[in-house]
Amino acid sequence: MEDGKWIVGKVGDEFEEFISPIVADYPPERILVEGKVFIFDTTLRDGEQSLPTSLSVEQKVRIARQLAKLEVDVIEAGFPVSSPADFEAVREIGRIEGPVICGLARTVEKDIVACSKALKDAKRSRIHTFIGTSAIHAEKKLRKSEEEILNMAKSCVKLARKYCGDVEFSPEDAGRTGLDFLCRIVETAIDAGASTINIPDTVGYTLPEGFVEIIDTLFNRVPNIDKAVISVHCHNDLGMATANSLTAVRHGARQIECAVNGLGERAGNAALEEVVMAIKVRRDFMKVRTGVNTREIMRTSRLVRDICGVPVQPNKAIVGSNAFAHSSGIHQDGMLKAKKTYEIISPRLVGLKEHRMNLTSRSGGHMVKSRLLSLGYSEAEIDMESFYERFIELADKKGTVYDDDLIVLMEAQSAGDLEDIYVLEYLNVSTGTNTVPTATARISAAGETYEEAAVGDGAVDAATKAIDRIVGYDISVQDYHLDAITQGREALGRVKIVAEADGSLFTGSGASTDIVEASAMAYMDIVNKITRMRRFGRTSNGRKKKVRRRKSK
Ligand code: KIV
Ligand code: ZN
């Protein structure tokens, strides 16, 4: 470094002076004082390499744009030498403004050249180069001595620095690398020009106390350690990725490598949403901050889930569908009295509107009544004693009771009001490769039978369109969720659909060994709920509303 500037080269031979983006903004001593932790997102590299099928360039760019909105510091966009598509993705993502865009390279010349070419036009770029350093990687995978590995690291960091002012070096499998060799290679990489040293627990083997022993040793024994940002990259094989990352930050690490929804090799990487929210919520203890815009977390998680096709477990910290839902009667009662009794994170902080109270047979009368009041019913309209009995009966049958179910329970004057008005009598769907999916549905209502056919983008789309033609409602599906509730090829599938109609949201569910039939049943559930609400003159969120009826065919 000369006078705070890095001397670097462009691809080709002309060299120019270039201020290393992150290190220029935050020299290591400033990072420690200001307590900024860089968030290095590897969803598109470590996360993507774990998916059964690769993402297209366009899909990666969509995710990268959202990561830029999330305001991560670095996006690891891919491994350019690995395929032309990865190269192209890194090149395209490099055009995005905001974060530093990073490409991965082994300590092999052709990798580094490919990486630098892919990053040539990037607004802010980083080359991340790595080599295995543990005895098992050296002997069995690389078949190289420590001296050879050291030399490869040194020459490739130097080469990378010729192309880019911002170079990161990772001793792969650092978690199982002997400390003496780890200290030597880290010192060598910093001397060669690496401004970030990443310590990966590649196989997720370390526990927090063991991991900080590694970090402490580096800080105590590597003489030039203050010339680089120390980063950590933890895998979750023993469920320790978040704990290891945060503990390392407590001991001086200032970059966390992580992935949205915890995607990554095997059990995944540290989940971005977990490390970021832990740092925010426990600022009192962590005493550092990130630059992430946490209100974009939910949107990012859903986009990654939908594009990558990897579902998020309901009880996943921060982004699971249950993460802000309260089910137990005791908890719901506490929440009604003071949110802080059971809520440590306001859902708004991660971009959700509000917490959810799941009404089930465990919910107390207090909670049910409060929901009825919020649905627009007055004290005088609610006969809680008799209502609660009917509520428990329904909850025992259904599990979760939604707002639209509550309204039906309130409004129903007789058992007949609870019966379905439209009944699906028959459904035939034909689909396959190179054919247009077509569905025929027959529905009975009030003693009449109606039949319609429709084509669609897929079997479910065709079936729901045929139903739409019969009932004549304008239904817009917002969310479609399919779960296998039994195992094997004849598994029972449960479909849950959330749809909008008449300005309200409705939830429908259906189960069958045939997923198209399960989908049609869930859709019919919604059709019947809309019909009841129209009869009762209410919207599904309870307000009295005059609805103009469209005539059914
Ligand atoms: O887990 C790992 O060691 C990696 C490196 C490439 C940083 O993903
Ligand atoms: Zn990894």
Side-chain angles (χ1 to χ4, degrees):
M1 193 159 43
E2 284 180 8
D3 301 333
K5 291 186 175 177
W6 299 96
I7 307 297
V8 295
K10 277 185 174 167
V11 177
D13 271 326
E14 273 169 61
F15 283 71
E16 67 165 16
E17 283 196 344
F18 171 89
I19 300 175
S20 168
I22 274 203
V23 179
D25 292 349
Y26 285 94
E29 58 288 357
R30 234 183 94 192
I31 294 164
L32 282 174
V33 173
E34 291 186 3
K36 158 116 183 175
V37 174
F38 295 116
I39 295 299
F40 175 116
D41 179 276
T42 187
T43 311
L44 293 171
R45 201 277 298 165
D46 210 317
E48 203 259 359
Q49 79 196 32
S50 71
L51 302 178
T53 47
S54 320
L55 301 181
S56 67
V57 174
E58 189 257 329
Q59 287 173 317
K60 287 186 186 174
V61 170
R62 275 175 64 203
I63 293 180
R65 288 219 176 95
Q66 180 56 33
L67 290 171
K69 278 197 194 143
L70 184 65
E71 294 178 46
V72 301
D73 298 285
V74 186
I75 295 176
E76 189 166 46
F79 190 3
V81 82
S82 67
S83 73
D86 241 46
F87 182 95
E88 194 48 32
V90 174
R91 219 167 65 88
E92 284 298 319
I93 292 169
R95 301 181 203 280
I96 295 175
E97 297 213 13
V100 171
I101 308 302
C102 173
L104 185 68
R106 292 167 300 179
T107 48
V108 172
E109 188 175 342
K110 73 168 185 259
D111 285 35
I112 290 181
V113 171
C115 203
S116 65
K117 283 187 177 156
L119 290 168
K120 184 164 66 78
D121 299 323
K123 311 242 178 246
R124 306 170 78 198
S125 58
R126 173 181 295 185
I127 295 178
H128 175 192
T129 183
F130 73 99
I131 185 164
T133 50
S134 62
I136 182 135
H137 278 227
E139 285 161 27
K140 305 285 181 201
K141 186 180 87 169
L142 301 169
R143 301 212 170 93
K144 295 210 182 292
S145 68
E146 287 189 346
E147 280 330 294
E148 285 172 304
I149 290 173
L150 212 62
N151 285 331
M152 285 170 78
K154 183 174 171 176
S155 61
C156 280
V157 169
K158 280 193 167 168
L159 179 65
R161 276 296 311 277
K162 283 193 179 160
Y163 294 120
C164 183
D166 187 344
V167 173
E168 170 170 330
F169 172 72
S170 289
E172 191 193 9
D173 204 14
R176 294 188 300 172
T177 298
L179 287 175
D180 288 343
F181 184 52
L182 191 63
C183 289
R184 273 183 76 204
I185 200 159
V186 166
E187 183 181 350
T188 305
I190 297 174
D191 263 349
S195 45
T196 302
I197 295 291
N198 178 46
I199 304 300
D201 181 20
T202 303
V203 290
Y205 177 71
T206 61
L207 303 178
E209 286 188 10
F211 197 52
V212 298
E213 208 179 304
I214 299 172
I215 304 293
D216 285 348
T217 305
L218 293 173
F219 275 109
N220 292 333
R221 284 180 34 195
V222 175
N224 52 2
I225 197 80
D226 60 332
K227 302 279 183 298
V229 174
I230 299 306
S231 165
V232 288
H233 174 113
C234 298
H235 279 270
N236 208 25
D237 300 67
L238 295 175
M240 295 293 150
T242 297
N244 281 346
S245 307
L246 295 175
T247 316
V249 167
R250 291 267 302 160
H251 287 248
R254 286 296 178 267
Q255 175 176 284
I256 299 180
E257 301 200 354
C258 47
V260 176
N261 299 340
L263 291 183
E265 279 288 337
R266 305 177 311 280
N269 286 90
L272 178 146
E273 61 278 6
E274 292 178 18
V275 294
V276 167
M277 289 313 291
I279 287 174
K280 190 169 182 85
V281 173
R282 294 308 313 274
R283 180 124 200 238
D284 59 324
F285 183 72
M286 295 301 298
K287 302 204 175 354
V288 288
R289 64 182 179 86
T290 73
V292 168
N293 174 2
T294 63
R295 285 173 204 271
E296 290 293 328
I297 283 181
M298 246 5 256
R299 201 192 315 274
T300 313
S301 162
R302 288 178 180 157
L303 184 77
V304 168
R305 174 199 67 187
D306 294 344
I307 292 183
C308 297
V310 180
V312 174
Q313 75 189 62
N315 57 333
K316 165 81 186 58
I318 316 294
V319 292
S321 55
N322 266 353
F324 295 94
H326 301 266
S327 295
S328 128
I330 295 173
H331 289 208
Q332 290 179 348
D333 186 51
M335 286 286 291
L336 284 178
K337 290 172 177 149
K339 286 196 186 133
K340 285 195 174 157
T341 50
Y342 290 102
E343 184 175 276
I344 61 157
I345 309 170
S346 158
R348 287 176 195 276
L349 270 187
V350 296
L352 279 173
K353 282 218 181 78
E354 54 189 25
H355 53 255
R356 210 181 63 229
M357 300 283 199
N358 281 337
L359 291 186
T360 65
S361 56
R362 290 178 300 281
S363 303
H366 195 185
M367 181 62 226
V368 176
K369 184 169 176 187
S370 131
R371 187 67 137 259
L372 285 173
L373 290 171
S374 77
L375 285 173
Y377 291 99
S378 65
E379 290 271 359
E381 284 174 289
I382 308 170
D383 170 2
M384 207 45 213
E385 214 168 295
S386 84
F387 185 82
Y388 191 63
E389 242 174 65
R390 284 186 289 141
F391 166 82
I392 292 291
E393 216 175 288
L394 182 69
D396 274 343
K397 259 197 238 145
K398 278 200 65 180
T400 303
V401 175
Y402 296 102
D403 288 354
D404 42 27
D405 299 312
L406 281 184
I407 295 169
V408 172
L409 268 192
M410 273 298 282
E411 300 287 333
Q413 304 292 322
S414 65
D417 283 346
L418 299 172
E419 303 258 302
D420 283 349
I421 297 110
Y422 288 106
V423 178
L424 183 66
E425 302 284 357
Y426 165 89
L427 177 70
N428 183 290
V429 181
S430 105
T431 185
T433 43
N434 300 324
T435 58
V436 180
T438 312
T440 306
R442 192 183 308 136
I443 289 176
S444 62
E448 303 269 353
T449 304
Y450 307 87
E451 191 167 306
E452 283 286 352
V455 293
D457 284 342
V460 173
D461 189 42
T464 54
K465 280 188 174 140
I467 296 171
D468 283 346
R469 285 191 165 189
I470 294 172
V471 298
Y473 294 165
D474 189 6
I475 301 173
S476 146
V477 173
Q478 307 286 311
D479 198 29
Y480 173 95
H481 192 84
L482 167 67
D483 276 324
I485 44 182
T486 53
Q487 298 210 324
R489 258 206 269 182
E490 281 157 29
L492 197 60
R494 183 176 40 213
V495 170
K496 190 174 144 195
I497 297 177
V498 180
E500 202 191 323
D502 298 343
S504 316
L505 285 182
F506 296 87
T507 310
S509 61
S512 166
T513 48
D514 180 325
I515 57 170
V516 181
E517 189 183 12
S519 308
M521 287 162 78
Y523 201 72
M524 288 300 295
D525 196 13
I526 289 176
V527 163
N528 279 304
K529 284 181 172 178
I530 298 169
T531 313
R532 277 192 206 98
M533 291 304 165
R534 288 186 173 194
R535 264 195 193 166
F536 300 149
R538 286 205 171 247
T539 66
S540 74
N541 46 23
R543 313 284 165 218
K544 287 232 190 247
K545 188 179 170 192
K546 287 215 180 328
V547 184
R548 247 187 298 127
R549 283 167 206 243
R550 276 175 60 179
K551 241 179 163 283
S552 315
K553 285 187 186 166

